[in-house]
């Protein structure tokens, strides 16, 4: 069985896929760097609870490095913030695999891959929105994440293009891998 077929099969098991049981329509608290930390999410939960919460985006290289303690605070949460999706970014499939295993052990309800951030600091490394122009690597990252996460849903947050609109071909690339959202 090919890696793509295997990743597609994983997504067909909805047992732990909270996306499937949300009321429709639903709202989410968008992931925001330097904003959506645990304190902010708890505040939002009190004044206008969305159906889904996200962490700030967290580097897979950071999580897999000796500097893990430097990014660990980004992944702190309380039970009041569920369902909670950990958003990750990076460009190394091995680190996606390891990171997703760690995040599953930490009890996140979902994992989201950032393929949308246009900030030059990350796009210059070939991560986030730059992955739209590197669909082979994007595919590898999603497959690695899905293999590691098993029943925990993997979603992708993206945009319609990096330098140019690529709505259809990029959408097709993503949909072939059946992300949870
Ligand atoms: C301060 C700030 C930080 C953001 N950080 C992230 C992030 O870490 N990950 C991400 O996917 N999007 C990030 N975004 C984009 C938002 O999640 C959202 O997609 C964007 O603001 C568009 O939604 P809006 O039209 O409701 O503002 C950020 C946006 C803002 C304003």
């Amino acid at each position: 069985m090919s890696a793509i077929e295997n990743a597609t099969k994983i997504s067909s098991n909805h047992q732990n896929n909270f996306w499937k049981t949300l009321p429709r329509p639903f709202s989410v608290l968008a992931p925001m760097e330097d904003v959506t930390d645990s304190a902010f999410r708890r505040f939002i939960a009190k004044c206008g609870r969305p159906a889904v919460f996200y962490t700030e985006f967290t580097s897979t290289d950071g999580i897999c490095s000796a500097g893990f303690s430097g990014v660990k605070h980004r992944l702190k949460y309380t039970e009041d913030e569920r369902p909670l999706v950990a958003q990750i970014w990076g460009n190394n499939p091995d680190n996606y695999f390891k990171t997703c295993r760690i995040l599953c052990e930490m009890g996140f309800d979902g994992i989201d891959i950032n393929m949308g951030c246009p900030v030059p600091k990350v796009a210059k490394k070939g991560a986030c929105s730059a992955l739209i122009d590197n669909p082979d690597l994007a595919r590898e990252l999603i497959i690695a994440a899905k293999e590691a996460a098993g029943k925990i849903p993997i979603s992708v947050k993206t945009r319609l293009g990096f330098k140019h609109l690529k709505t259809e071909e990029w959408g097709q690339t993503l949909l072939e891998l059946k992300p949870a959202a």
Side-chain angles (χ1 to χ4, degrees), residues 5-180:
E5 279 167 344
N6 199 29
T8 305
K9 202 170 152 229
I10 289 169
S11 71
S12 62
N13 185 337
H14 299 316
Q15 234 179 336
N16 290 41
N17 187 349
F18 73 88
W19 291 104
K20 292 278 166 196
T21 56
L22 293 177
R24 312 235 162 198
F26 61 84
S27 63
V28 307
L29 173 64
M32 284 179 281
E33 171 64 4
D34 269 345
V35 180
T36 53
D37 61 5
S38 177
F40 185 81
R41 293 191 301 260
R42 275 176 279 146
F43 171 69
I44 293 293
K46 281 208 173 104
C47 52
R49 191 178 188 89
V52 185
F53 294 88
Y54 283 79
T55 66
E56 302 163 89
F57 74 155
T58 303
S59 159
T60 48
D61 296 342
I63 291 175
C64 295
S65 74
F68 184 36
S69 56
V71 295
K72 214 173 171 182
H73 65 278
R74 290 166 167 273
L75 302 171
K76 270 171 68 174
Y77 69 88
T78 66
E79 291 303 309
D80 209 26
E81 300 155 43
R82 291 192 186 276
L84 179 60
V85 177
Q87 196 191 55
I88 56 174
W89 69 278
N91 58 10
N92 178 319
D94 287 342
N95 286 348
Y96 269 65
F97 189 89
K98 287 183 207 147
T99 293
C100 290
R101 281 279 156 89
I102 292 169
L103 296 174
C104 290
E105 274 174 29
M106 290 176 80
F108 284 97
D109 299 294
I111 299 169
D112 184 76
I113 303 178
N114 184 319
M115 294 193 178
C117 179
V119 169
K121 202 169 84 179
V122 295
K124 260 197 317 210
K125 294 182 182 166
C128 297
S129 59
L131 288 165
I132 298 171
D133 284 347
N134 190 353
D136 289 341
L137 179 58
R139 232 179 253 120
E140 267 193 73
L141 298 176
I142 296 170
I143 289 169
K146 282 186 138 197
E147 280 178 356
K151 292 174 185 166
I152 302 300
I154 299 292
S155 55
V156 175
K157 184 166 179 286
T158 188
R159 56 182 62 233
L160 302 180
F162 180 47
K163 291 191 177 132
H164 308 285
L165 282 180
K166 285 194 174 171
T167 314
E168 285 185 19
E169 59 178 289
W170 175 234
Q172 185 67 29
T173 300
L174 291 178
L175 291 176
E176 271 169 14
L177 293 161
K178 296 202 184 334

